[in-house]
Amino acid sequence: MRILLFVLVVLSISCERVIELDLPEQREYVVVHGHIEPDSFAYVSLSRNSPYFNPVDLQTVASLLVQGALVTVEEGGTIDTLRPDFNFQHFTLFNYRGTKIKGEVGKRYKLRIETSEVILEAETSIPALLPLDSLWHRTRADFVREAGQFQPTRRDSELVSLYFRYSDPPVAGNYVRAFSRRNTELQWSSDFNPIYSDDLVNGQSVDFILRRGKEAYLFADSTTFEEFGYFEVGDTIEVKWCSIDRPHYLFWLTLGAATGGSGNPFATPTVVSTNIRALKGRGLGIWGGYGTLRYQYIVR
């Protein structure tokens, strides 16, 4: 019996088939991530794409940045030539910054990028501001009591969810992206893919939870899965509520879908939307305007 078992094991091992994948050759793109906000200069990050299986760390990303490009933003006949600059925002390393044109609501901005390999163009606008009605919070203890199955712990009383109420204008086609930060945090962060459209709520007043941004947890080893997305009693929370146009919305929507299905062989393939036009070479990414409003909320 043991001999038979040994023979079966040997046969099963010897029947393993080695599959070699012939991956397609990488096509090179210049990746654009740029934005402009009211009363702020334009920021643009230029980088090159890399193979899927290459390592991803800060040093690798920095090595992919495109230097020496001619980057301009034009509005109303005025041209702003962006200067090399390293600025860390929204966990993106921007390497070009404007010095002449500041964003204004209702105006359109044309971006042009020239290197020896590519010539890229894109246009965006800063949409009308869409204010929030109110902000408030509820503790996790409130939800535990409503469930009626357990007694809330002391920690449940310290963790809170931040709510916002938004009244959408009656005209369809409004889109929003939201950021938050707390206490002494320098970076604005976002909760996975915090974008909203009025496709289903046009002209209505709606309440949503604005969760604490996920990037804030990247360097916090003490954070547990159970506390993910919560703020705490005593926090001073800043909210950046940004109206965006439809191309800008579609970029973040499709990027979120593509990122969410990463590594899943059964996920539907997603093509990330882009408003970058390539006149020479290849480019992708986003050039977007933010109609920004800021709010502060103290959890008491």
Side-chain angles (χ1 to χ4, degrees):
M1 185 65 182
R2 291 181 178 178
I3 296 176
L4 178 60
L5 181 59
F6 176 76
V7 171
L8 290 175
V9 171
V10 172
L11 289 176
S12 64
I13 294 175
S14 62
C15 290
E16 287 185 357
R17 183 178 179 183
V18 177
I19 299 177
E20 295 184 0
L21 298 178
D22 185 15
L23 298 176
E25 184 178 352
Q26 173 191 338
R27 302 179 70 183
E28 292 188 358
Y29 289 82
V30 168
V31 182
V32 181
H33 180 195
H35 70 258
I36 187 166
E37 303 179 48
D39 199 33
S40 177
F41 297 117
Y43 282 94
V44 174
S45 172
L46 297 182
S47 60
R48 296 181 178 85
N49 62 319
S50 64
Y52 181 83
F53 294 104
N54 276 19
V56 178
D57 52 43
L58 188 58
Q59 183 176 357
T60 303
V61 172
S63 69
L64 295 173
L65 292 176
V66 176
Q67 310 292 344
L70 175 61
V71 184
T72 60
V73 172
E74 180 180 355
E75 189 283 317
T78 301
I79 296 178
D80 187 0
T81 301
L82 277 61
R83 298 178 180 177
D85 184 286
F86 288 92
N87 189 285
F88 209 38
Q89 294 183 24
H90 315 320
F91 289 83
T92 298
L93 186 60
F94 291 95
N95 54 335
Y96 292 88
R97 176 180 180 270
T99 58
K100 184 183 296 185
I101 297 175
K102 287 189 174 182
E104 293 183 41
V105 172
K107 293 190 175 181
R108 295 194 62 82
Y109 301 89
K110 181 177 180 180
L111 175 71
R112 184 178 174 90
I113 299 163
E114 296 184 44
T115 72
S116 58
E117 296 85 14
V118 300
I119 299 177
L120 309 176
E121 290 186 347
E123 287 190 50
T124 193
S125 64
I126 298 181
L129 305 180
L130 301 172
L132 292 175
D133 291 349
S134 57
L135 292 165
W136 73 98
H137 75 273
R138 297 187 67 195
T139 67
R140 193 166 72 177
D142 294 332
F143 297 103
V144 174
R145 292 191 191 96
E146 288 178 0
Q149 297 179 349
F150 304 98
Q151 287 296 319
T153 65
R154 179 178 177 180
R155 187 58 176 161
D156 289 331
S157 299
E158 297 171 344
L159 297 173
V160 304
S161 293
L162 181 66
Y163 283 79
F164 66 84
R165 177 167 296 154
Y166 165 68
S167 295
D168 185 68
V171 179
N174 297 304
Y175 308 95
V176 175
R177 189 173 186 222
F179 302 89
S180 67
R181 65 185 180 187
R182 60 188 284 270
N183 302 334
T184 59
E185 291 173 353
L186 299 178
Q187 300 300 323
W188 294 98
S189 55
S190 54
D191 170 27
F192 294 104
N193 205 25
I195 55 171
Y196 309 93
S197 77
D198 66 352
D199 291 345
L200 300 178
V201 298
N202 181 46
Q204 301 179 41
S205 180
V206 292
D207 298 346
F208 283 110
I209 293 178
L210 182 62
R211 298 190 182 276
R212 183 181 172 193
K214 66 180 174 62
E215 292 95 340
Y217 294 100
L218 293 179
F219 307 105
D221 296 334
S222 62
T223 302
T224 65
F225 177 79
E226 291 78 12
E227 297 186 5
F228 188 89
Y230 287 98
F231 295 95
E232 298 185 42
V233 172
D235 280 350
T236 297
I237 305 169
E238 292 183 81
V239 174
K240 186 154 81 165
W241 181 255
C242 307
S243 54
I244 56 179
D245 62 16
R246 182 169 176 79
H248 201 175
Y249 166 79
L250 290 176
F251 170 79
W252 292 113
L253 179 70
T254 53
L255 180 64
T259 304
S262 179
N264 183 357
F266 302 105
T268 302
T270 303
V271 177
V272 178
S273 180
T274 179
N275 65 350
I276 305 299
R277 301 185 302 273
L279 306 182
K280 174 184 175 183
R282 300 186 185 93
L284 49 81
I286 188 65
W287 164 239
Y290 286 118
T292 302
L293 289 167
R294 296 190 183 188
Y295 300 88
Q296 185 182 87
Y297 183 85
I298 300 176
V299 185
R300 302 186 188 279

